[in-house]
Amino acid sequence: MSLEPLPFKARAISKRDFKSYEAMFELYLDIQKHKVLQELPETEVKGRWKSFVGKWNRGELAEGWYDPATLDKANASAASFDDRERAVERADASQSPTGMSNAIDKSDESDEDDVGPTLPQSASGAFYGGSRLGPAIPNTQDLALQRGNAELELEASENRRDDLRYDRRMERRHQKERLEELAPRAEAGTKDRMLEKKRERTDSNRAFATGKTEAGGVEDVADRDLLGGEDEGIDSLKRRQKDMERKKNDRELRKEEIMRARAEEREERVRAYKEKEASTMSGLIALAKARFG
């Protein structure tokens, strides 16, 4: 947790505050990370929420996120979308075959003009030698009509869902524009924008490492080893280059020593061979002189 007070006198949050800040966290993922909260697996949601809590408490987020108005707008937008989704679900249920039959049953029950059960239209014919009572077997035309109605209902439901998704995307875009007005980004190409991008990459790497640790049980890696500390600059790079050059020079020196030793061994074998050959020739010359004069 940061020792300095947070912007707008905001309080520090914890993992247990997920429900209270879920709407703003969803907006944060959409704007900062280009992620949809509902499409992420549970382990990644936990890791990204943990990263968000840490940045919030350290005061690393833009000031606009700490504004209470941002949280209120996010909650209001999420509530409006939930109401619309429930309305769409009720409309789909009312247009389903089960919902239609329930509506018909309720309308029949509320009819005060009917007293007692209604006789079927073919009752007179049944009593006087006509067709028998009971449900009729549907023919191919009836089945085709039922399939067509079901397809139309399914298409209408999909169209409503597509419209709802489109409205959600447009609302998120408007929220993003309003948030940029509250906490505008630095201009492209400036030093401030470069620092913002660096912080975003650092946060993304830290969130990825956190999610991987929680998902697979991998032990934590220090941020210094993962991302590099503040003192990891040109001096550190020069030291590493000097160490590499020194190691390279040591290898070359050892290689040269081995080559010199092998060359010395070859020269020693050549000298021994020449001395042996010279002694053999001198012996042959002495034998030839002794025999032939």
Side-chain angles (χ1 to χ4, degrees), residues 14-77:
S14 64
K15 295 180 180 180
R16 295 185 294 272
D17 295 323
F18 179 78
K19 289 296 182 182
S20 302
Y21 289 81
E22 182 178 2
M24 188 170 69
F25 178 56
E26 179 180 0
L27 182 63
Y28 168 81
L29 291 179
D30 184 27
I31 295 175
Q32 297 293 126
K33 308 300 181 182
H34 306 289
K35 301 285 186 180
V36 179
L37 178 62
Q38 290 76 11
E39 297 178 357
L40 299 178
E42 183 178 359
T43 54
E44 185 174 355
V45 172
K46 291 181 180 179
R48 291 188 178 275
W49 170 247
K50 182 179 179 182
S51 176
F52 178 80
V53 170
K55 289 185 288 186
W56 175 284
N57 294 336
R58 291 190 297 271
E60 297 178 358
L61 300 177
E63 292 186 358
W65 292 109
Y66 298 93
D67 191 352
T70 304
L71 179 60
D72 295 339
K73 291 180 180 178
N75 291 331
S77 177

Side-chain angles (χ1 to χ4, degrees), residues 259-277:
M259 294 295 292
R260 285 196 298 268
R262 291 179 179 177
E264 184 67 24
E265 291 177 358
R266 285 196 301 271
E267 292 177 357
E268 183 66 25
R269 288 195 297 270
V270 170
R271 285 196 297 270
Y273 177 77
K274 289 181 177 179
E275 291 177 357
K276 182 178 180 180
E277 185 179 6

Side-chain angles (χ1 to χ4, degrees), residues 111 218 222:
D111 192 354
V218 181

Side-chain angles (χ1 to χ4, degrees), residues 34-201:
H34 306 289
K35 301 285 186 180
V36 179
L37 178 62
Q38 290 76 11
E39 297 178 357
L40 299 178
E42 183 178 359
T43 54
E44 185 174 355
V45 172
K46 291 181 180 179
R48 291 188 178 275
W49 170 247
K50 182 179 179 182
S51 176
F52 178 80
V53 170
K55 289 185 288 186
W56 175 284
N57 294 336
R58 291 190 297 271
E60 297 178 358
L61 300 177
E63 292 186 358
W65 292 109
Y66 298 93
D67 191 352
T70 304
L71 179 60
D72 295 339
K73 291 180 180 178
N75 291 331
S77 177
S80 64
F81 277 120
D82 292 339
D83 294 339
R84 294 182 61 183
E85 287 180 351
R86 285 193 292 269
V88 171
E89 292 177 356
R90 288 195 297 268
D92 293 340
S94 63
Q95 293 186 5
S96 63
T98 305
M100 292 177 67
S101 62
N102 294 333
I104 293 174
D105 294 340
K106 291 180 181 179
S107 63
D108 291 341
E109 294 175 358
S110 62
D111 192 354
E112 297 178 356
D113 296 335
D114 296 337
V115 180
T118 303
L119 294 176
Q121 296 179 358
S122 60
S124 59
F127 283 109
Y128 296 99
S131 61
R132 66 181 180 86
L133 295 175
I137 299 175
N139 54 24
T140 56
Q141 293 180 355
D142 296 335
L143 295 176
L145 181 61
Q146 291 178 1
R147 287 195 298 269
N149 292 335
E151 291 176 357
L152 290 176
E153 292 177 1
L154 180 60
E155 183 178 357
S157 178
E158 291 178 353
N159 291 334
R160 286 190 295 272
R161 288 191 178 92
D162 292 339
D163 294 339
L164 183 60
R165 293 191 185 99
Y166 175 77
D167 293 340
R168 183 183 287 272
R169 287 196 298 268
M170 295 302 296
E171 181 64 22
R172 286 175 178 171
R173 183 177 299 176
H174 294 327
Q175 290 180 356
K176 182 177 180 181
E177 293 176 356
R178 291 194 295 268
L179 184 61
E180 289 180 353
E181 293 178 358
L182 294 173
R185 291 184 176 182
E187 297 182 359
T190 61
K191 183 178 180 180
D192 295 336
R193 182 55 187 157
M194 294 174 64
L195 294 175
E196 288 181 358
K197 289 183 177 179
K198 184 177 179 180
R199 285 195 298 269
E200 291 176 359
R201 288 194 300 269

